[in-house]
Amino acid sequence: DVKVTQSSRYLVKRTGEKVFLECVQDMDHENMFWYRQDPGLGLRLIYFSYDVKMKEKGDIPEGYSVSREKKERFSLILESASTNQTSMYLCASSFSGLAYEQYFGPGTRLTVT
Amino acid sequence: AQSVSQHNHHVILSEAASLELGCNYSYGGTVNLFWYVQYPGQHLQLLLKYFSGDPLVKGIKGFEAEFIKSKFSFNLRKPSVQWSDTAEYFCAGRGRNSGYALNFGKGTSLLVTP
């Protein structure tokens, strides 16, 4: 079974704090993704990575950065958390290629106060 | 690449009723379409996917979807729902960027009542 794990299920941070969300996959997938899930908006892509140290912006990258130093690990960084970043964050991974679906982690519910 | 739109945001059905959730996609080259499900408190998981070939796709847990090119639709169906089908359902199409990311619809929340 593919396993995508995320470092925390729930996180509460204060405005202005630097926040790290970590994701690890165990299937040697090339691609990794960070999405944000908000009610009524579905999932929106923040960033993705197709190889170690390679990254591309998604649809809503503002206020976020990412890091991929090892193939199995993909980190999302909120440089200075704001209340409008309160959301559910989902990590996903997949093999490279159109035929492959994405596997999702359980999500991190982040609250910024 | 496809963007997708889902018609229904909230659906309430009784057990044993038939289900059809609408999804329309915009044309954009090779068609790759997916339905994902998120049960309460669980992670998103794939129900089914369409890449080519037979337009009637069968997935897990008795779900199926039909790709109708002329209508730009990929509706999800199940002949008889159970209480355990209560979940949020997302249609997705392949994104426009090179990372094979998915464009998700806004989701449909399904409540099945006993």
Side-chain angles (χ1 to χ4, degrees):
Chain A
D1 255 4
V2 176
K3 205 158 194 179
V4 180
T5 57
Q6 295 183 228
S7 49
S8 307
R9 290 300 301 268
Y10 300 94
L11 210 51
V12 179
K13 294 292 182 181
R14 294 190 181 275
T15 302
E17 278 193 86
K18 191 168 186 175
V19 181
F20 292 87
L21 303 182
E22 298 221 314
C23 175
V24 178
Q25 51 94 3
D26 66 356
M27 279 301 291
D28 204 35
H29 287 163
E30 295 90 4
N31 296 341
M32 295 188 76
F33 309 85
W34 276 106
Y35 293 91
R36 173 177 169 160
Q37 182 180 11
D38 298 289
L41 296 179
L43 279 74
R44 294 176 291 167
L45 181 68
I46 304 172
Y47 266 98
F48 68 90
S49 168
Y50 49 92
D51 202 349
V52 175
K53 296 191 186 294
M54 306 304 289
K55 61 187 179 187
E56 283 195 26
K57 294 179 180 179
D59 299 318
I60 51 165
E62 297 79 19
Y64 304 95
S65 62
V66 290
S67 172
R68 194 167 179 200
E69 297 296 319
K70 294 185 177 181
K71 190 174 185 180
E72 68 271 17
R73 190 179 296 268
F74 191 36
S75 301
L76 179 70
I77 303 151
L78 287 67
E79 296 290 341
S80 176
S82 64
T83 55
N84 62 13
Q85 292 179 309
T86 291
S87 187
M88 172 70 88
Y89 291 89
L90 299 179
C91 176
S93 70
S94 75
F95 287 116
S96 184
L98 294 175
Y100 299 103
E101 69 263 30
Q102 293 178 16
Y103 294 85
F104 284 82
T108 295
R109 168 88 50 198
L110 172 67
T111 303
V112 182
T113 61
Chain B
Q2 288 84 48
S3 62
V4 297
S5 61
Q6 294 181 240
H7 312 309
N8 320 96
H9 298 298
H10 298 281
V11 173
I12 302 174
L13 293 173
S14 300
E15 274 193 321
S18 64
L19 170 71
E20 182 161 4
L21 301 182
C23 174
N24 283 100
Y25 69 93
S26 66
Y27 176 76
T30 304
V31 175
N32 300 145
L33 295 167
F34 306 79
W35 276 98
Y36 278 82
V37 63
Q38 188 174 35
Y39 297 104
Q42 295 189 27
H43 59 272
L44 270 161
Q45 55 186 288
L46 181 72
L47 273 178
L48 46 80
K49 61 183 179 182
Y50 172 79
F51 285 88
S52 62
D54 189 344
L56 185 62
V57 181
K58 294 198 182 294
I60 61 171
K61 303 182 191 249
F63 286 91
E64 64 180 31
E66 186 173 11
F67 171 66
I68 304 179
K69 191 174 180 180
S70 60
K71 295 184 178 180
F72 296 94
S73 70
F74 188 57
N75 292 354
L76 182 71
R77 301 195 296 240
K78 187 171 184 179
S80 176
V81 294
Q82 301 171 316
W83 175 80
S84 58
D85 293 321
T86 293
E88 188 140 19
Y89 293 81
F90 294 94
C91 181
R94 189 65 73 183
R96 56 180 162 78
N97 46 43
S98 60
Y100 309 108
L102 298 177
N103 286 330
F104 283 86
K106 295 184 178 181
T108 297
S109 177
L110 172 66
L111 174 64
V112 180
T113 59

